Amino acid sequence: SQKIEQNSEALNIQEGKTATLTCNYTNYSPAYLQWYRQDPGRGPVFLLLIRENEKEKRKERLKVTFDTTLKQSLFHITASQPADSATYLCALDERDSSYKLIFGSGTRLLVRP
Amino acid sequence: NAGVTQTPKFRVLKTGQSMTLLCAQDMNHEYMYWYRQDPGMGLRLIHYSVGEGTTAKGEVPDGYNVSRLKKQNFLLGLESAAPSQTSVYFCASSRAGNRQSLQPQHFGDGTRLSIL
């Protein structure tokens, strides 16, 4: 079965630096991969989606890459701000499903002022 | 624009009690989902629905039942609560999609449920 691995240790960085979060999967290559942000006490909020035939996707200060050879996606936040502090979840489509997702447990990002 | 609304936000139950968690969405989404989130385990799918009147089991359905009598509502029932069901429950919805046009999920803010 598909497993998603995200670093369980918090990433602690200085404001202004680039944060890079990793999402690794173990089995089949998904058709697409999504990144969500979750704040304490709130539900996840969708950020970006990248398809298997896309190498990179950008949205403002966010950039996602997808390497099917390494079975890995990287999520970058450039010029990070304390307001970017949150937990970031990676999600992959369940095989042959157009609506079911498998979520990683997330990585907490702390941006120090 | 409320999006996805979950009620209640918090609840404490005793073992063996039953309750229903309510989820309502105002985005006219076809698909709806119930997840539970436990520390270190990520979101796990309990049940889902791809349309009014239809439901299906997810990864961890035991001990739960669901109903979707109206398109905008998705109810999650605990028939006989157990301490192992202590968790944060999230409801989500999405538009219908396919492998070429995949839709993100929109989440509510969760129900924090403790079973004593």
mmCIF file of all heavy atoms in Angstrom, chain A residues 98-101, chain B residues 23 31-35 45 47-49 74 90-95 103 105:
data_model
loop_
_atom_site.group_PDB
_atom_site.id
_atom_site.type_symbol
_atom_site.label_atom_id
_atom_site.label_comp_id
_atom_site.label_asym_id
_atom_site.label_seq_id
_atom_site.Cartn_x
_atom_site.Cartn_y
_atom_site.Cartn_z
ATOM 1 N N SER A 98 -10.262 9.278 -8.527
ATOM 2 C CA SER A 98 -10.233 10.690 -8.888
ATOM 3 C C SER A 98 -10.721 11.564 -7.744
ATOM 4 O O SER A 98 -10.864 12.766 -7.900
ATOM 5 C CB SER A 98 -11.108 10.942 -10.117
ATOM 6 O OG SER A 98 -12.448 10.602 -9.834
ATOM 7 N N TYR A 99 -10.963 10.947 -6.563
ATOM 8 C CA TYR A 99 -11.491 11.767 -5.479
ATOM 9 C C TYR A 99 -10.970 11.376 -4.105
ATOM 10 O O TYR A 99 -11.203 12.082 -3.153
ATOM 11 C CB TYR A 99 -13.018 11.710 -5.471
ATOM 12 C CG TYR A 99 -13.594 10.318 -5.640
ATOM 13 C CD1 TYR A 99 -13.701 9.456 -4.568
ATOM 14 C CD2 TYR A 99 -14.028 9.884 -6.875
ATOM 15 C CE1 TYR A 99 -14.206 8.188 -4.719
ATOM 16 C CE2 TYR A 99 -14.549 8.611 -7.047
ATOM 17 C CZ TYR A 99 -14.637 7.762 -5.972
ATOM 18 O OH TYR A 99 -15.145 6.501 -6.133
ATOM 19 N N LYS A 100 -10.275 10.248 -3.945
ATOM 20 C CA LYS A 100 -9.774 9.872 -2.629
ATOM 21 C C LYS A 100 -8.297 10.203 -2.505
ATOM 22 O O LYS A 100 -7.505 9.934 -3.403
ATOM 23 C CB LYS A 100 -10.011 8.390 -2.374
ATOM 24 C CG LYS A 100 -11.461 8.047 -2.087
ATOM 25 C CD LYS A 100 -11.604 6.695 -1.428
ATOM 26 C CE LYS A 100 -11.314 5.570 -2.374
ATOM 27 N NZ LYS A 100 -11.498 4.251 -1.717
ATOM 28 N N LEU A 101 -7.948 10.797 -1.359
ATOM 29 C CA LEU A 101 -6.573 11.195 -1.097
ATOM 30 C C LEU A 101 -5.991 10.403 0.071
ATOM 31 O O LEU A 101 -6.708 9.998 0.974
ATOM 32 C CB LEU A 101 -6.495 12.682 -0.750
ATOM 33 C CG LEU A 101 -6.900 13.679 -1.828
ATOM 34 C CD1 LEU A 101 -6.868 15.098 -1.277
ATOM 35 C CD2 LEU A 101 -5.973 13.561 -3.030
ATOM 36 N N CYS B 23 -22.135 17.797 9.393
ATOM 37 C CA CYS B 23 -21.310 18.530 8.444
ATOM 38 C C CYS B 23 -22.225 19.129 7.381
ATOM 39 O O CYS B 23 -23.052 18.412 6.799
ATOM 40 C CB CYS B 23 -20.283 17.613 7.793
ATOM 41 S SG CYS B 23 -19.281 18.421 6.521
ATOM 42 N N TYR B 31 -18.896 15.699 -3.770
ATOM 43 C CA TYR B 31 -18.206 14.738 -2.932
ATOM 44 C C TYR B 31 -18.068 15.278 -1.518
ATOM 45 O O TYR B 31 -17.768 16.450 -1.312
ATOM 46 C CB TYR B 31 -16.797 14.448 -3.468
ATOM 47 C CG TYR B 31 -16.732 13.903 -4.879
ATOM 48 C CD1 TYR B 31 -15.553 14.005 -5.620
ATOM 49 C CD2 TYR B 31 -17.818 13.277 -5.470
ATOM 50 C CE1 TYR B 31 -15.467 13.511 -6.913
ATOM 51 C CE2 TYR B 31 -17.745 12.776 -6.760
ATOM 52 C CZ TYR B 31 -16.570 12.899 -7.478
ATOM 53 O OH TYR B 31 -16.489 12.401 -8.753
ATOM 54 N N MET B 32 -18.238 14.358 -0.537
ATOM 55 C CA MET B 32 -18.010 14.723 0.858
ATOM 56 C C MET B 32 -17.288 13.584 1.567
ATOM 57 O O MET B 32 -17.413 12.407 1.173
ATOM 58 C CB MET B 32 -19.337 15.060 1.559
ATOM 59 C CG MET B 32 -20.016 16.298 0.968
ATOM 60 S SD MET B 32 -21.440 16.880 1.897
ATOM 61 C CE MET B 32 -20.663 17.629 3.337
ATOM 62 N N TYR B 33 -16.536 13.954 2.596
ATOM 63 C CA TYR B 33 -15.643 13.002 3.269
ATOM 64 C C TYR B 33 -15.661 13.232 4.771
ATOM 65 O O TYR B 33 -15.827 14.355 5.231
ATOM 66 C CB TYR B 33 -14.188 13.208 2.801
ATOM 67 C CG TYR B 33 -13.988 13.315 1.306
ATOM 68 C CD1 TYR B 33 -14.195 14.532 0.651
ATOM 69 C CD2 TYR B 33 -13.564 12.229 0.553
ATOM 70 C CE1 TYR B 33 -14.004 14.647 -0.725
ATOM 71 C CE2 TYR B 33 -13.362 12.334 -0.819
ATOM 72 C CZ TYR B 33 -13.577 13.550 -1.442
ATOM 73 O OH TYR B 33 -13.380 13.662 -2.795
ATOM 74 N N TRP B 34 -15.436 12.151 5.507
ATOM 75 C CA TRP B 34 -15.162 12.244 6.934
ATOM 76 C C TRP B 34 -13.795 11.628 7.203
ATOM 77 O O TRP B 34 -13.512 10.502 6.788
ATOM 78 C CB TRP B 34 -16.202 11.501 7.775
ATOM 79 C CG TRP B 34 -17.422 12.301 8.076
ATOM 80 C CD1 TRP B 34 -18.656 12.160 7.549
ATOM 81 C CD2 TRP B 34 -17.515 13.373 9.008
ATOM 82 N NE1 TRP B 34 -19.519 13.081 8.079
ATOM 83 C CE2 TRP B 34 -18.847 13.837 8.981
ATOM 84 C CE3 TRP B 34 -16.608 13.997 9.881
ATOM 85 C CZ2 TRP B 34 -19.295 14.890 9.780
ATOM 86 C CZ3 TRP B 34 -17.055 15.041 10.665
ATOM 87 C CH2 TRP B 34 -18.379 15.478 10.619
ATOM 88 N N TYR B 35 -12.946 12.393 7.921
ATOM 89 C CA TYR B 35 -11.618 11.937 8.322
ATOM 90 C C TYR B 35 -11.509 12.012 9.839
ATOM 91 O O TYR B 35 -12.188 12.788 10.488
ATOM 92 C CB TYR B 35 -10.524 12.857 7.763
ATOM 93 C CG TYR B 35 -10.364 12.875 6.259
ATOM 94 C CD1 TYR B 35 -11.052 13.794 5.474
ATOM 95 C CD2 TYR B 35 -9.469 12.013 5.627
ATOM 96 C CE1 TYR B 35 -10.875 13.832 4.093
ATOM 97 C CE2 TYR B 35 -9.283 12.051 4.242
ATOM 98 C CZ TYR B 35 -9.992 12.965 3.497
ATOM 99 O OH TYR B 35 -9.801 13.003 2.128
ATOM 100 N N LEU B 45 -9.214 8.405 6.257
ATOM 101 C CA LEU B 45 -10.559 8.468 5.724
ATOM 102 C C LEU B 45 -11.457 7.441 6.399
ATOM 103 O O LEU B 45 -11.153 6.246 6.420
ATOM 104 C CB LEU B 45 -10.515 8.235 4.207
ATOM 105 C CG LEU B 45 -11.825 8.358 3.449
ATOM 106 C CD1 LEU B 45 -12.365 9.793 3.532
ATOM 107 C CD2 LEU B 45 -11.633 7.953 1.989
ATOM 108 N N HIS B 47 -15.349 7.468 6.061
ATOM 109 C CA HIS B 47 -16.358 7.200 5.047
ATOM 110 C C HIS B 47 -16.368 8.378 4.076
ATOM 111 O O HIS B 47 -15.914 9.473 4.415
ATOM 112 C CB HIS B 47 -17.753 7.072 5.671
ATOM 113 C CG HIS B 47 -18.013 5.810 6.413
ATOM 114 N ND1 HIS B 47 -18.344 4.618 5.792
ATOM 115 C CD2 HIS B 47 -18.017 5.556 7.755
ATOM 116 C CE1 HIS B 47 -18.540 3.686 6.717
ATOM 117 N NE2 HIS B 47 -18.347 4.227 7.911
ATOM 118 N N TYR B 48 -16.931 8.131 2.907
ATOM 119 C CA TYR B 48 -17.071 9.210 1.947
ATOM 120 C C TYR B 48 -18.343 9.016 1.130
ATOM 121 O O TYR B 48 -18.981 7.955 1.183
ATOM 122 C CB TYR B 48 -15.836 9.310 1.043
ATOM 123 C CG TYR B 48 -15.612 8.101 0.156
ATOM 124 C CD1 TYR B 48 -16.035 8.099 -1.164
ATOM 125 C CD2 TYR B 48 -14.938 6.978 0.639
ATOM 126 C CE1 TYR B 48 -15.822 7.002 -1.977
ATOM 127 C CE2 TYR B 48 -14.724 5.867 -0.158
ATOM 128 C CZ TYR B 48 -15.152 5.888 -1.469
ATOM 129 O OH TYR B 48 -14.943 4.791 -2.266
ATOM 130 N N SER B 49 -18.678 10.078 0.390
ATOM 131 C CA SER B 49 -19.892 10.042 -0.427
ATOM 132 C C SER B 49 -19.624 10.768 -1.739
ATOM 133 O O SER B 49 -19.059 11.862 -1.737
ATOM 134 C CB SER B 49 -21.043 10.725 0.312
ATOM 135 O OG SER B 49 -22.131 10.943 -0.553
ATOM 136 N N PHE B 74 -23.664 15.873 5.444
ATOM 137 C CA PHE B 74 -23.063 14.542 5.584
ATOM 138 C C PHE B 74 -22.930 14.291 7.082
ATOM 139 O O PHE B 74 -22.248 15.043 7.779
ATOM 140 C CB PHE B 74 -21.697 14.521 4.890
ATOM 141 C CG PHE B 74 -21.141 13.159 4.615
ATOM 142 C CD1 PHE B 74 -21.956 12.053 4.440
ATOM 143 C CD2 PHE B 74 -19.762 12.974 4.500
ATOM 144 C CE1 PHE B 74 -21.430 10.797 4.162
ATOM 145 C CE2 PHE B 74 -19.220 11.718 4.218
ATOM 146 C CZ PHE B 74 -20.061 10.641 4.054
ATOM 147 N N PHE B 90 -12.633 15.579 10.992
ATOM 148 C CA PHE B 90 -12.758 16.611 9.979
ATOM 149 C C PHE B 90 -13.677 16.144 8.871
ATOM 150 O O PHE B 90 -13.595 15.010 8.395
ATOM 151 C CB PHE B 90 -11.396 16.947 9.371
ATOM 152 C CG PHE B 90 -10.510 17.738 10.283
ATOM 153 C CD1 PHE B 90 -9.516 17.114 11.021
ATOM 154 C CD2 PHE B 90 -10.679 19.110 10.420
ATOM 155 C CE1 PHE B 90 -8.692 17.838 11.869
ATOM 156 C CE2 PHE B 90 -9.866 19.850 11.269
ATOM 157 C CZ PHE B 90 -8.875 19.208 11.998
ATOM 158 N N CYS B 91 -14.519 17.067 8.439
ATOM 159 C CA CYS B 91 -15.347 16.865 7.269
ATOM 160 C C CYS B 91 -14.743 17.674 6.131
ATOM 161 O O CYS B 91 -14.180 18.762 6.358
ATOM 162 C CB CYS B 91 -16.772 17.333 7.557
ATOM 163 S SG CYS B 91 -17.890 17.243 6.144
ATOM 164 N N ALA B 92 -14.842 17.151 4.928
ATOM 165 C CA ALA B 92 -14.337 17.865 3.755
ATOM 166 C C ALA B 92 -15.298 17.663 2.595
ATOM 167 O O ALA B 92 -16.098 16.713 2.579
ATOM 168 C CB ALA B 92 -12.945 17.368 3.375
ATOM 169 N N SER B 93 -15.221 18.566 1.641
ATOM 170 C CA SER B 93 -16.031 18.417 0.428
ATOM 171 C C SER B 93 -15.203 18.836 -0.780
ATOM 172 O O SER B 93 -14.210 19.561 -0.652
ATOM 173 C CB SER B 93 -17.301 19.263 0.521
ATOM 174 O OG SER B 93 -17.001 20.647 0.445
ATOM 175 N N SER B 94 -15.617 18.359 -1.943
ATOM 176 C CA SER B 94 -14.944 18.773 -3.179
ATOM 177 C C SER B 94 -15.915 18.669 -4.336
ATOM 178 O O SER B 94 -16.913 17.944 -4.272
ATOM 179 C CB SER B 94 -13.704 17.929 -3.446
ATOM 180 O OG SER B 94 -14.049 16.611 -3.823
ATOM 181 N N ARG B 95 -15.589 19.391 -5.382
ATOM 182 C CA ARG B 95 -16.345 19.260 -6.616
ATOM 183 C C ARG B 95 -16.047 17.917 -7.252
ATOM 184 O O ARG B 95 -15.020 17.298 -6.952
ATOM 185 C CB ARG B 95 -15.951 20.385 -7.572
ATOM 186 C CG ARG B 95 -16.396 21.752 -7.120
ATOM 187 C CD ARG B 95 -15.724 22.854 -7.877
ATOM 188 N NE ARG B 95 -15.915 22.747 -9.327
ATOM 189 C CZ ARG B 95 -15.324 23.535 -10.205
ATOM 190 N NH1 ARG B 95 -14.499 24.483 -9.784
ATOM 191 N NH2 ARG B 95 -15.539 23.392 -11.484
ATOM 192 N N GLN B 103 -9.842 17.880 -8.232
ATOM 193 C CA GLN B 103 -10.333 18.974 -7.421
ATOM 194 C C GLN B 103 -9.782 18.906 -6.001
ATOM 195 O O GLN B 103 -9.718 17.832 -5.413
ATOM 196 C CB GLN B 103 -11.862 18.930 -7.377
ATOM 197 C CG GLN B 103 -12.519 19.002 -8.739
ATOM 198 C CD GLN B 103 -12.195 20.305 -9.446
ATOM 199 O OE1 GLN B 103 -12.158 21.361 -8.827
ATOM 200 N NE2 GLN B 103 -11.945 20.237 -10.740
ATOM 201 N N GLN B 105 -9.758 19.443 -1.878
ATOM 202 C CA GLN B 105 -10.774 19.272 -0.848
ATOM 203 C C GLN B 105 -10.813 20.498 0.059
ATOM 204 O O GLN B 105 -9.790 21.094 0.366
ATOM 205 C CB GLN B 105 -10.492 17.997 -0.047
ATOM 206 C CG GLN B 105 -10.623 16.737 -0.905
ATOM 207 C CD GLN B 105 -10.468 15.451 -0.121
ATOM 208 O OE1 GLN B 105 -10.458 15.441 1.106
ATOM 209 N NE2 GLN B 105 -10.376 14.340 -0.834
#
